[in-house]
Amino acid sequence: MSVERIKKILGHLPTHIVLIGLCAIWLIPAFGLLITSLRPFQNINTSGWWTVLAAPRGSEEYSQTCASCHGSDGKAIAWADHTDPEVVQQYPRSIKLLAMLKQDHKGQPHLGDIPMPEPQQAADIADYLKRISGIEVRPRFTLNNYVDALMGYRGRNNYVTDCATGEQALDLNCDTSDLLNPRGMGRAFLNSLLVAIPCTILPIILASFAGYAFSWIHFRSRVWLFALLVGLQIVPLQMTLIPISRLYAQLGLNGTFLGIWLFHTGFGLPYAIYLMRNFLGSLPRDLFESAYLDGASHWTAFWRLALPLSVPALASLGIFQFLWIWNDLLVALVFLGGQKPVLTYQISNMVSSLGAGWHLLTAAAFISMALPMIVFFSLQRYFVRGMLAGAVKG
Ligand code: HEC
């Protein structure tokens, strides 16, 4: 390797380190979220996701404090066999185990000269006892969170129902054919698609027409109309919620997809038109003029010239609009509410006010993250080019 190359690589090093750092900042939490979503909820509640690869604890503490009398396999005292579920069941938690260990046994301390285990050690020992007696054999990874989130989980009185094992299945809808039941994420996913796709495509189509008209068709008060449009961008969405929902109530549009399509399209348009006009207006003038000289109508110029050239702008507009609609809760809540729940609504419903079921958030968050990531990565080639679109020419 030549000195020149080494110099070059070293010169790029700081940039690379910064880039790797930036990637790590978002990749590590995303990775953690993925791991967490795949863990049984009892594990999520007791230890962090980074412990997945650590060996289950407790066996060392056990051999230090208990094995001298109970044997390393826990079977040495036959009537207190630690592999017998009936014995271990009495001490499901470290508190009970500690209380029992503190009691004297035939006038002697239970542990003899061995010091009492610390609370954390006792908890590990209690876990270990459960494992060797077979009361609780938990897999390290499970899809239960996903199953529960998709099937429409119902948490009652802080209990967590589990579709895969069927515990407390009384009130639970675990029918796989019922993936589209209104309480689950499956239906909400579909609803989100039904909202996000038209709400992305409609404004983009309309905005490319308008952007073309604003940049290449000469009509009266073009500048004033455009200025008005730019001004419309600053109207806060929240301000219009009440008037529009009253209007929708009169028209019977509340709780319908049509209503939310119109709303998002309306609010997406000003910025979309602004961006498309700037992009189309920055295309070379000669290109269009020679097309018109050759007798091309505006219609042909639009479809044959303007649209193919503005793919980067369309793609970046598409990404932004799609992400904004997909993550939107406010508008979906006001205009669709519980009638046609979308993902954001369903996720916020999944956690009860007491916090039960929050472990399902991990799975739910991942389900709702999946599509935006696919959209982003499939369109990211255009993204960087398109980001500059608005900046090229005013
Ligand atoms: C000094 C010896 C000794 C040590 C150390 C010891 N045990 Fe025991 N343990 C006994 C004896 C003896 C019994 C039987 C008690 C009886 O006869 O009811 C017993 C009984 C038990 C029982 C059954 C109690 C019941 O009545 O259901 C459990 C559970 C138990 N031990 C857990 C532990 C654990 C956990 C440790 C380690 C933290 C431990 N023991 C350490 C001697 C010991």
Side-chain angles (χ1 to χ4, degrees), residues 182-199:
R183 288 189 61 101
M185 299 276 291
R187 162 67 71 86
F189 198 90
L190 206 71
N191 284 346
S192 271
L193 279 181
L194 280 173
V195 170
I197 291 176
C199 290

Side-chain angles (χ1 to χ4, degrees), residues 62 65-70 77 79-80 82 87 90-91 97 100-101 105-106 109-112 114 117 125 129:
Y62 185 85
T65 38
C66 320
S68 56
C69 301
H70 287 278
I77 302 177
W79 56 93
H82 286 171
V87 174
Q90 301 170 297
Y91 314 102
L97 189 70
M100 187 273 295
L101 291 174
H105 171 61
K106 288 185 187 154
H110 186 136
L111 293 179
I114 301 169
I125 292 174
L129 291 181

Side-chain angles (χ1 to χ4, degrees), residues 323-389:
L323 289 184
W324 148 245
I325 309 279
W326 189 260
N327 293 329
D328 160 75
L329 175 64
L330 180 66
V331 178
L333 189 67
V334 172
F335 292 111
L336 291 178
Q339 297 182 43
K340 298 191 171 65
V342 295
L343 273 181
T344 44
Y345 178 86
Q346 205 74 331
I347 291 177
S348 71
N349 258 7
M350 200 159 266
V351 190
S352 72
S353 51
L354 293 173
W358 69 266
H359 61 281
L360 292 176
L361 271 187
T362 56
F366 230 86
I367 294 171
S368 73
M369 245 167 86
L371 198 69
M373 293 225 299
I374 293 172
V375 170
F376 184 81
F377 282 117
S378 57
L379 293 181
Q380 53 104 9
R381 279 194 303 139
Y382 305 109
F383 189 62
V384 180
R385 274 193 277 162
M387 281 238 292
L388 304 171

Side-chain angles (χ1 to χ4, degrees), residues 12-29:
H12 286 306
L13 208 61
T15 335
H16 285 167
I17 291 177
V18 169
L19 282 182
I20 291 172
L22 282 179
C23 286
I25 285 176
W26 87 266
L27 274 180
I28 291 174

